[in-house]
Amino acid sequence: MKKELKENIQDELRQFIVKCLKVHGPWAVTEELSIFPHATCITKQGVVLGANDSFVSLCGYSKNELEGMHALELTNSDDHHLLMQVFANNRKDKYPLRLKTKSGESKHALVFPYVLALDGEVYRFAEFIDLTETVEAQKHLVRVLTETTTALSYTIEKKDPYTVGHMNRTGAIAKKIATAMGLYDENISNLILGAKIHDIGKIAIPHEILIKPSKLDDLDWQYIKRHPMIGYEIISDLEIDPLIKDIVKYHHEYYDGSGYPDGKNGKAISTEVNIITIADSLDAIAGIRPYKTSKTFNEAIEIMESCNNRYNPDIFELAKSLVHDRVIADTEYFG
């Protein structure tokens, strides 16, 4: 019901914009929509045709200056590739974008695009929600959280000397996989942060189990399997991105449903959590434990490959190719 209502509203808005374009031209569209609290502009082939007063305030250019400017001139250079993909694919779902103002500063915006066809021409109307203050507040929180997690990671790894650096290495591997997949920078940042604390729940696991010189028995495993939920409980009340909490809670969930704590499977597990699961396994299998010797990443991949459908097949194949091409290399992580 909500989806149908949303689609109806969007269709009515498109029809209104097309009507304004036909009768009054692009500037009339943005003027008519000036009642909206957010910035709006309209482009054709990436060139600005019109913008409302809120967009003028957001970017710092006058309406006369804006007219004829290319959208790339108004976008942070780091997001040029993203914007070109948006244009090439006629993207219609919302996306984050960093705008470049006249003064040279960056503004973080969430963009809601509308692709409109009129007389054989393609117009793009977009609404921009300014998230700069929110993003800056999140960055401050992330800085504080990073310092806290670094201290916690050090504490955990002091307790379990055989996994010294494991969480950081998992983050480094996950970053390479996520970058190869083309994930947004914000998602990659949260991915790395989640990786750095994914085993935080081990702080409550008995020390003698963590350093046991032989293979773990069933009772030991019952303790070990508690660490994702313990970790989640530790961070559940923190005002952090939900993705970080999901990574801590679900990093032992497997694609085939054989994982824990909830036995999630397939599409019920997010892309980012799947990445962490693969990166975590790669480092854990390759790393040294009291009861086994270290292995190469190529050997770890072979072992993981024998686990049937434990890992997301598409992401696993990508990770396998990164190891094969030495983008993920043993010497980089183990010296």
Side-chain angles (χ1 to χ4, degrees):
M1 185 67 181
K2 287 183 179 180
K3 183 179 180 182
E4 290 178 2
L5 180 61
K6 181 180 178 182
E7 289 175 350
N8 289 337
I9 292 172
Q10 289 175 337
D11 286 340
E12 288 181 13
L13 182 57
R14 286 191 185 92
Q15 292 172 19
F16 174 76
I17 295 170
V18 169
K19 184 178 179 180
C20 282
L21 279 170
K22 282 183 175 179
V23 179
H24 302 294
W27 278 106
V29 175
T30 49
E31 290 298 333
E32 289 289 341
L33 293 176
S34 61
I35 58 171
F36 281 66
H38 307 300
T40 58
C41 80
I42 188 165
T43 63
K44 184 173 76 172
Q45 295 181 344
V47 176
V48 177
L49 301 179
N52 69 353
D53 291 337
S54 294
F55 191 84
V56 168
S57 298
L58 179 63
C59 67
Y61 290 97
S62 68
K63 290 184 179 180
N64 287 337
E65 289 173 319
L66 284 169
E67 190 171 2
M69 288 183 72
H70 196 281
L72 291 175
E73 297 178 76
L74 298 165
T75 307
N76 186 298
S77 59
D78 290 338
D79 282 355
H80 281 182
H81 179 66
L82 167 63
L83 190 60
M84 294 304 293
Q85 285 185 320
V86 167
F87 288 161
N89 300 324
N90 283 333
R91 183 169 176 171
K92 297 176 184 177
D93 60 312
K94 64 185 178 183
Y95 59 92
L97 190 70
R98 286 167 291 185
L99 298 174
K100 184 176 69 176
T101 68
K102 186 176 181 178
S103 64
E105 66 177 315
S106 286
K107 291 287 185 75
H108 296 267
L110 185 63
V111 185
F112 291 83
Y114 298 86
V115 180
L116 313 162
L118 178 63
D119 299 330
E121 299 281 4
V122 175
Y123 295 83
R124 290 183 174 84
F125 176 84
E127 184 179 8
F128 298 78
I129 298 177
D130 187 359
L131 298 178
T132 305
E133 289 186 5
T134 302
V135 171
E136 291 305 318
Q138 287 178 339
K139 284 183 177 179
H140 174 71
L141 181 62
V142 167
R143 282 195 294 270
V144 173
L145 183 61
T146 300
E147 292 172 0
T148 304
T149 54
T150 299
L152 285 171
S153 297
Y154 180 77
T155 302
I156 295 164
E157 292 176 344
K158 274 290 185 182
K159 185 176 182 180
D160 181 10
Y162 296 101
T163 57
V164 170
H166 165 66
M167 289 186 284
N168 283 335
R169 291 194 302 269
T170 298
I173 295 168
K175 180 181 179 181
K176 295 207 169 186
I177 297 172
T179 300
M181 291 180 66
L183 265 60
Y184 292 130
D185 290 346
E186 181 182 355
N187 281 19
I188 294 176
S189 295
N190 287 325
L191 187 78
I192 295 169
L193 198 53
K196 287 184 175 181
I197 61 169
H198 74 273
D199 277 340
I200 193 173
K202 285 186 177 180
I203 202 166
I205 304 300
H207 180 65
E208 59 269 20
I209 293 177
L210 293 176
I211 63 167
K212 191 172 182 178
S214 58
K215 285 191 175 183
L216 303 180
D217 59 31
D218 289 343
L219 183 59
D220 296 332
W221 274 112
Q222 291 305 312
Y223 275 107
I224 289 292
K225 286 183 177 181
R226 292 172 56 196
H227 81 269
M229 277 305 303
I230 293 171
Y232 176 74
E233 289 165 4
I234 290 171
I235 66 169
S236 61
D237 291 333
L238 297 179
E239 293 182 6
I240 56 176
D241 194 286
L243 172 58
I244 299 171
K245 297 180 182 181
D246 283 351
I247 287 171
V248 171
K249 186 176 182 179
Y250 298 127
H251 66 276
H252 279 294
E253 297 286 4
Y254 297 124
Y255 194 77
D256 62 1
S258 65
Y260 56 89
D262 292 347
K264 286 176 171 287
N265 65 355
K267 293 182 179 179
I269 307 170
S270 72
T271 295
E272 291 83 2
V273 171
N274 275 312
I275 291 172
I276 291 294
T277 299
I278 291 170
D280 182 35
S281 294
L282 257 178
D283 186 75
I285 294 170
I288 299 172
R289 294 298 295 172
Y291 51 83
K292 74 177 185 67
T293 58
S294 64
K295 299 183 183 298
T296 67
F297 279 141
N298 279 303
E299 290 172 329
I301 284 289
E302 289 179 9
I303 292 171
M304 292 167 69
E305 204 163 21
S306 69
C307 296
N308 297 318
N309 298 317
R310 175 174 284 189
Y311 307 101
N312 179 292
D314 295 331
I315 301 175
F316 179 74
E317 283 302 314
L318 175 60
K320 180 180 175 181
S321 69
L322 294 177
V323 170
H324 181 267
D325 295 338
R326 296 190 60 75
V327 176
I328 297 174
D330 304 288
T331 53
E332 182 177 349
Y333 298 95
F334 301 111

